[in-house]
Amino acid sequence: MPHAAIDLATIAAVPAQPRPAERIAVVGIGADGWAGLGEPARQTVLAADVVIGGPRHLDLLPAVDGQQRHTWPSPLRAGLPALLDGLDGQRVVALASGDPLLSGVGSTLIELFGAQRVTVIPAVSSVTLARARLGWSAESAAVIRSADVHAVLRELAPGRRVLVLSSDESTPGQLAALLTERGYGASRMVVLGDLGGAAESRVETTAASFAGSAPRLNIVGLELAGPPAYGWAAGLPDDAYDHDGQLTKRDLRAAALARLAPAPGQLLWDVGAGAGSVGIEWMRSHPACRAIAIEANDARAQRISDNARKLGVPALQVVRGAAPHALADLPTPDAVFIGGGLSRDGVLAACLAALAPGGRVVAHGVTLETEALLAAAYREHGGELTRFQVEHAAPLGSLTGWTPGRAVTQWALTRS
């Protein structure tokens, strides 16, 4: 909407901000727009030579004579450095929704330019407003910030509270359909729209009953109701995965992940990933864990992506290609699991070379040739060499006997 221009005398009275070579100011703005900004945030915006933001945010500001306004580049991360380099020597303000560090552009700018160059002036986030409307404490509810609604499936558990930051007006309907499909149609569902603005709305229903529309700006509160689901501990049942037999079985998977030791924010390479089970369970252990599955077979690579979405970690990255060549341009891992391709020349050496001090590697071998490779690695580097023989009870005629699985040799090492 149009606003009256603010004259240059008003701007001249505002204290000068540091030049962008030193600072970029990121100002959080809520659905109530300019009226909801505190005085420090207003003064920062008024003093800027350049304001960057989405069209909706820019439209919330009053006009300022001589001030340049730019929309975000696309793609954002790739285009930001060039845009800001072209604004050198000018006072720059970036607009963000609510709290710029809650999955917002503030985090992106800090990652690109460093915290020393970025100043953040937050507004109340939509998550904080949603908790206030629902009466939920911060520690009582998980927050999902994924563009793919399948991320909610990691949280499935009776009584679990979840806040989902919607991508747009279609997200509530997608959530409702997915939860109903997974037996959680009885879940309480509260769609909160335009929080903090004049058009704020609330629709309360169940996932199975949801049939309404939603405003474009919305957040969904869920109180999950349904059957017990998979936990976050390593070793999900083998039938949780779609696979063609290339699957690290449950007991061996749990043993491998215990040695891989997932920690928040760390990255795993799952080399020769098969069905993707190790990378998936690494990511399920904590929302900040990241994984890259490397798989040469196209059908299996697609299956990994499908399994990841089904088990609530759609952000798992799949690289189609064979190690060691497919590893060349990947980011440095904190841990590496080698479940397939170990006998290929250079795979083990490339994985070891990629690890920084403190990094972990776990490799499995089932053939005499791969077992010999792991024994040689153990002699050269140390670590832990273990041979697993798992047996399961099964019918034997009219009685029950033990059915042995194929023996697997595991080598595990923490880089000193």
Side-chain angles (χ1 to χ4, degrees), residues 142-146 148-149 151-153 155 162-166:
V143 178
I144 293 178
R145 311 172 182 89
S146 172
D148 190 327
V149 295
V152 77
L153 299 179
E155 306 296 332
V162 181
L163 289 170
V164 180
L165 297 177
S166 293

Side-chain angles (χ1 to χ4, degrees), residues 2 25 129 141 164 175 216 261:
L129 289 171
V164 180
L175 275 171
R216 184 169 182 80

Side-chain angles (χ1 to χ4, degrees), residues 252-392:
L252 294 169
R253 193 184 325 131
L257 282 157
R259 292 160 174 83
L260 290 167
Q266 293 197 336
L267 172 67
L268 172 78
W269 287 358
D270 185 359
V271 180
S277 61
V278 172
I280 288 169
E281 293 188 28
W282 169 279
M283 291 185 66
R284 283 177 60 87
S285 69
H286 192 276
C289 283
R290 299 168 294 136
I292 300 174
I294 298 93
E295 175 55 55
N297 181 284
D298 286 345
R300 289 174 186 160
Q302 182 58 54
R303 194 176 290 119
I304 292 167
S305 294
D306 294 342
N307 282 330
R309 296 178 77 233
K310 181 176 72 171
L311 290 167
V313 288
L316 183 144
Q317 181 182 349
V318 180
V319 171
R320 301 192 181 196
H325 303 296
L327 309 177
D329 298 320
L330 300 184
T332 301
D334 299 286
V336 178
F337 176 70
I338 310 172
L342 184 62
S343 59
R344 194 176 296 117
D345 286 346
V347 170
L348 184 57
C351 292
L352 288 173
L355 287 175
R360 289 87 63 198
V361 63
V362 173
H364 285 180
V366 296
T367 66
L368 292 175
E369 290 78 8
T370 54
E371 189 174 76
L373 285 173
L374 296 180
Y378 174 67
R379 285 193 300 271
E380 181 178 355
H381 301 285
E384 180 184 9
L385 191 65
T386 309
R387 197 159 188 260
F388 292 92
Q389 177 75 61
V390 179
E391 300 183 5
H392 294 278

Side-chain angles (χ1 to χ4, degrees), residues 4-367:
I6 296 175
D7 63 30
L8 293 177
T10 301
I11 299 173
V14 178
Q17 301 297 307
R19 314 312 287 175
E22 301 171 13
R23 292 286 178 187
I24 301 163
V26 187
V27 175
I29 188 167
D32 49 358
W34 183 255
L37 290 182
E39 193 59 24
R42 287 189 177 196
Q43 298 293 350
T44 300
V45 173
L46 295 178
D49 299 311
V50 181
V51 179
I52 308 170
R56 181 179 66 85
H57 287 149
L58 293 173
D59 287 345
L60 295 173
L61 303 183
V64 176
D65 289 337
Q67 188 178 77
Q68 298 179 50
R69 296 190 174 170
H70 297 279
T71 56
W72 293 114
S74 180
L76 178 65
R77 182 179 288 269
L80 272 174
L83 173 61
L84 291 171
D85 286 346
L87 302 174
D88 189 34
Q90 302 184 71
R91 293 182 292 263
V92 177
V93 165
L95 299 179
S97 294
D99 181 353
L101 296 179
L102 184 66
S103 293
V105 73
S107 303
T108 302
L109 288 167
I110 288 172
E111 289 173 14
L112 288 174
F113 303 108
Q116 297 79 10
R117 190 177 169 186
V118 180
T119 298
V120 177
I121 305 176
V124 177
S125 73
S126 59
V127 169
T128 298
L129 289 171
R131 285 170 174 154
R133 303 296 188 267
L134 295 169
W136 292 357
S137 63
E139 64 272 13
S140 72
V143 178
I144 293 178
R145 311 172 182 89
S146 172
D148 190 327
V149 295
H150 286 79
V152 77
L153 299 179
R154 178 186 176 273
E155 306 296 332
L156 290 187
R160 179 77 163 154
R161 288 175 171 175
V162 181
L163 289 170
V164 180
L165 297 177
S166 293
S167 298
D168 54 35
E169 64 274 16
S170 69
T171 301
Q174 294 173 17
L175 275 171
L178 182 61
L179 290 170
T180 302
E181 175 190 323
R182 297 299 290 265
Y184 275 72
S187 300
R188 178 189 177 208
M189 186 171 175
V190 185
V191 183
L192 300 165
D194 296 304
L195 281 168
E200 181 172 322
S201 63
R202 175 177 177 139
V203 174
E204 185 163 347
T205 181
T206 64
S209 301
F210 180 80
S213 59
R216 184 169 182 80
L217 298 178
N218 73 84
I219 184 169
V220 182
L222 300 170
E223 284 187 305
L224 297 174
Y230 302 126
W232 298 336
L236 298 186
D238 292 344
D239 61 11
Y241 297 93
D242 181 24
H243 63 91
D244 60 1
Q246 293 300 308
L247 174 74
T248 300
K249 300 300 193 291
R250 180 179 198 173
D251 299 289
L252 294 169
R253 193 184 325 131
L257 282 157
R259 292 160 174 83
L260 290 167
Q266 293 197 336
L267 172 67
L268 172 78
W269 287 358
D270 185 359
V271 180
S277 61
V278 172
I280 288 169
E281 293 188 28
W282 169 279
M283 291 185 66
R284 283 177 60 87
S285 69
H286 192 276
C289 283
R290 299 168 294 136
I292 300 174
I294 298 93
E295 175 55 55
N297 181 284
D298 286 345
R300 289 174 186 160
Q302 182 58 54
R303 194 176 290 119
I304 292 167
S305 294
D306 294 342
N307 282 330
R309 296 178 77 233
K310 181 176 72 171
L311 290 167
V313 288
L316 183 144
Q317 181 182 349
V318 180
V319 171
R320 301 192 181 196
H325 303 296
L327 309 177
D329 298 320
L330 300 184
T332 301
D334 299 286
V336 178
F337 176 70
I338 310 172
L342 184 62
S343 59
R344 194 176 296 117
D345 286 346
V347 170
L348 184 57
C351 292
L352 288 173
L355 287 175
R360 289 87 63 198
V361 63
V362 173
H364 285 180
V366 296
T367 66

